[in-house]
Amino acid sequence: MDEAECEVRRIECLYDMSDLEKQFAELREQLCRERVQEVEEKLDEVIAGNAPEYTQPLAQLQENMQIHIQVAGILKELKVEAVRKDYDCELQSAHQTFESDKILVSAQVREELEEKIRMLEEDRDSIDITSDIWNELHFGSKKKRKQLTDPMGPEKRRKPITVSGPYVVYMLSDADILEDWTAVKKAVGVQKRKGECK
């Protein structure tokens, strides 16, 4: 191969190479356009909600959301049931406390009334005893009134008693005797009632 053929061959190769570069540039440009178009189409599908790359994760998210909603609903029912049970317990406790307090108050009032009745009975007995003694002391019996009206009654005729040796004379007033007598009768009445209760 001589020099002229080599030159022709070189020129042909340069031409072929230039043509290949031009084709490569066109192919690269076309590929770039196709990729941009593909990306835009995918973006449109995503915006429209039709792309598999979007719909699959979205379906998974929706499934997870439904599970969370179900769990939240069950938790809500359990909490509501717990609150309802707490309310029922508090209501029952309040009712039991009320009934217990009512019984205690009733017993206390009954005891107070029984004590008042006892005191009234004691006062009645005391008043009866006091009035009897008072009447006897101030007005006396018919016999005493007769003795007082009779100037020559038995007391006037009685001889004075002489006491020899040491002796003690108790000088009690009518009020002291009345008070002692009332206390004794009260004690006797209380003892009788205690015996009846037993």
Side-chain angles (χ1 to χ4, degrees):
M1 183 181 285
D2 57 2
E3 191 174 332
E5 289 178 354
C6 284
E7 185 63 25
V8 171
R9 184 72 177 161
R10 187 176 71 79
I11 290 171
E12 287 177 357
C13 287
L14 288 173
Y15 177 76
D16 291 339
M17 191 170 75
S18 174
D19 188 39
L20 286 172
E21 286 178 356
K22 186 178 178 184
Q23 289 179 7
F24 178 74
E26 289 175 357
L27 287 172
R28 186 175 63 186
E29 189 68 26
Q30 184 181 356
L31 179 62
C32 186
R33 283 196 304 270
E34 288 177 356
R35 290 189 119 182
V36 168
Q37 185 178 359
E38 184 179 351
V39 168
E40 287 177 352
E41 288 176 356
K42 286 288 182 186
L43 182 61
D44 292 337
E45 288 180 357
V46 168
I47 292 171
N50 299 325
E53 295 86 352
Y54 172 73
T55 55
Q56 290 177 358
L58 181 63
Q60 186 65 37
L61 288 173
Q62 287 177 343
E63 185 178 353
N64 292 339
M65 183 186 69
Q66 292 299 325
I67 292 171
H68 283 303
I69 290 172
Q70 290 177 357
V71 170
I74 293 170
L75 187 62
K76 175 191 169 186
E77 290 177 1
L78 292 174
K79 287 184 177 180
V80 168
E81 185 66 24
V83 170
R84 188 178 293 112
K85 286 183 179 178
D86 288 342
Y87 169 75
D88 291 339
C89 289
E90 288 293 331
L91 191 64
Q92 185 178 2
S93 174
H95 183 68
Q96 289 176 351
T97 303
F98 169 75
E99 291 296 329
S100 176
D101 291 344
K102 185 171 76 172
I103 291 170
L104 289 175
V105 169
S106 174
Q108 183 178 1
V109 169
R110 187 175 61 210
E111 288 178 4
E112 289 176 358
L113 291 174
E114 288 176 355
E115 181 64 25
K116 286 181 181 178
I117 291 170
R118 260 196 309 272
M119 291 176 66
L120 288 172
E121 288 177 352
E122 289 176 4
D123 291 343
R124 182 190 63 193
D125 294 341
S126 172
I127 289 169
D128 291 343
I129 293 165
T130 305
S131 63
D132 291 344
I133 294 172
W134 184 262
N135 288 333
E136 285 180 11
L137 288 173
H138 286 280
F139 300 107
S141 62
K142 291 181 181 177
K143 186 176 180 183
K144 279 192 174 181
R145 283 201 296 271
K146 186 177 179 183
Q147 288 173 358
L148 289 173
T149 55
D150 188 7
M152 295 302 291
E155 289 185 0
K156 296 284 185 179
R157 298 180 202 150
R158 200 179 291 163
K159 293 181 181 179
I161 300 171
T162 56
V163 180
S164 62
Y167 62 92
V168 178
V169 178
Y170 294 98
M171 302 294 291
L172 294 176
S173 66
D174 292 346
D176 292 337
I177 293 170
L178 183 63
E179 185 179 347
D180 292 343
W181 180 253
T182 303
V184 169
K185 290 300 279 182
K186 275 187 182 180
V188 170
V190 169
Q191 288 296 329
K192 282 183 180 178
R193 278 192 292 275
K194 284 184 179 177
E196 290 173 0
C197 291
K198 288 180 181 178

